Amino acid sequence: MADIHKNGIAFLQRRFPAALVLNNEIALSEENGNIVANVWPMIAQDSLSGVMQRALVIENLGAQGELLTIAKLMHKWFDELNGAAYIKVGNMLNPTSHEIDTNQMTYAPRTILYTNKLAVPVDLVFELFSQGNSLIEIVDESKIHKTVFISFGGPDESAAQKINNALKSKGVKTWFFPDDANPGAKLHRVMHDGVNEYDRVLLLCSKDSLGRPGVLNEIERVLEREARDGGADILIPVSLDDFVYSDWAPSRPDISSQIRSRVIAKIAITL
């Protein structure tokens, strides 16, 4: 399974968590049989809303001059895909809404074009699909991915390295001290620039990290930035143990309360 295919399914499952995602693979080829592009039509059958969301997953959207062909054929692909599965959903034990089946569901007006990279101007994509009376939404992975500054204490370097590798494998630009710190740079300047220049700050929460002065300083700086930005959500706490939930008691109680007031992701890392 191609990465773009898996990413497209994951995107639809995140956006429509109650939906069943149908998908197929279409190979667009020239008259001589050479494959020009692979396209994955997908339908998220969302029983909660009663709406089916259509999506086309395409690598390097527009790079092979395939857009007009796709715009002409996509409705046929979707009808074939939707006809391949029939579901009926209801809750007999605690009914709060009518049962609904896929024949009763309607299509959302816009079709998602999901790609790892848009190779042509946005206006051209809109124009080509408008010729087929199709409304679209472009989701470009290269625009989704944020830059992330990873904040951690020295004893958690192995865990931070694994997280850093996982983020980079998904195309996220990271700042990870062992890889990105310039020799001779002043530490306070490095921390100040990192928490202020990157889109998100990923904070590793553990007994080893949360007691480190450098980590506490980074937390203070990013909380100040969030306040300056009108309450923006920049800090993402990730717990490696249970220390952050109860035993952590920094000299400034407001710091721990601000961290605990957020959704804290908990992950287990095998070192």
Side-chain angles (χ1 to χ4, degrees):
M1 184 184 294
D3 285 343
I4 187 71
H5 179 202
K6 293 187 293 185
N7 293 350
I9 294 174
F11 171 82
L12 289 176
Q13 289 174 333
R14 287 193 301 270
R15 182 176 282 195
F16 310 102
L20 171 67
V21 178
L22 307 179
N23 65 98
N24 192 18
E25 182 174 1
I26 304 293
L28 296 180
S29 58
E30 299 174 327
E31 292 183 359
N32 59 11
N34 292 332
I35 295 177
V36 174
N38 290 312
V39 184
W40 289 270
M42 299 185 182
I43 298 177
Q45 298 176 330
D46 188 4
S47 59
L48 289 181
S49 64
V51 173
M52 295 185 291
Q53 177 64 62
R54 294 166 292 183
L56 292 170
V57 176
I58 314 164
E59 198 164 22
N60 299 320
L61 181 62
Q64 303 299 326
E66 76 283 5
L67 291 179
L68 188 56
T69 299
I70 291 172
K72 291 178 178 178
L73 295 176
M74 67 180 208
H75 297 293
K76 173 177 177 289
W77 296 338
F78 287 130
D79 288 342
E80 292 174 348
L81 182 58
N82 189 46
Y86 171 86
I87 62 170
K88 187 173 184 179
V89 180
N91 188 337
M92 296 181 63
L93 296 178
N94 184 25
T96 57
S97 61
H98 283 106
E99 292 183 339
I100 189 170
D101 63 41
T102 47
N103 291 332
Q104 297 169 307
M105 293 182 187
T106 58
Y107 284 132
R110 282 196 296 259
T111 298
I112 296 171
L113 300 184
Y114 185 95
T115 185
N116 63 315
K117 183 179 181 182
L118 183 60
V120 295
V122 171
D123 290 346
L124 176 60
V125 183
F126 287 152
E127 179 183 346
L128 292 176
F129 280 85
S130 293
Q131 292 178 19
N133 296 318
S134 298
L135 302 177
I136 60 169
E137 173 193 354
I138 300 173
V139 177
D140 185 346
E141 282 185 347
S142 66
K143 304 298 183 184
I144 295 175
H145 293 147
K146 300 289 186 178
T147 58
V148 175
F149 179 92
I150 301 176
S151 175
F152 66 97
D156 287 331
E157 182 175 327
S158 295
Q161 179 74 68
K162 288 181 178 290
I163 293 173
N164 179 60
N165 292 343
L167 290 172
K168 293 177 70 173
S169 72
K170 296 299 183 181
V172 181
K173 179 183 177 183
T174 64
W175 196 96
F176 179 55
F177 186 88
D179 295 342
D180 301 302
N182 294 321
K186 295 184 182 297
L187 288 176
H188 75 278
R189 174 55 58 185
V190 168
M191 293 185 291
H192 177 275
D193 291 346
V195 299
N196 282 286
E197 293 178 4
Y198 281 70
D199 295 315
R200 297 289 186 270
V201 175
L202 187 70
L203 172 67
L204 266 62
C205 299
S206 74
K207 185 175 182 179
D208 289 325
S209 285
L210 290 178
R212 297 271 168 157
V215 172
L216 291 172
N217 183 269
E218 288 170 359
I219 296 173
E220 291 184 33
R221 300 290 80 77
V222 71
L223 292 178
E224 291 172 359
R225 178 186 168 192
E226 288 185 336
R228 290 197 306 270
D229 291 352
D233 295 325
I234 297 170
L235 184 63
I236 303 173
V238 175
S239 68
L240 301 180
D241 56 30
D242 294 332
F243 183 72
V244 66
Y245 300 107
S246 57
D247 295 331
W248 184 35
S251 58
R252 281 184 50 185
D254 62 301
I255 292 180
S256 57
S257 64
Q258 288 200 57
I259 301 302
R260 289 173 180 147
S261 67
R262 302 166 191 246
V263 175
I264 302 175
K266 187 169 185 179
I267 59 175
I269 296 179
T270 303
L271 301 177

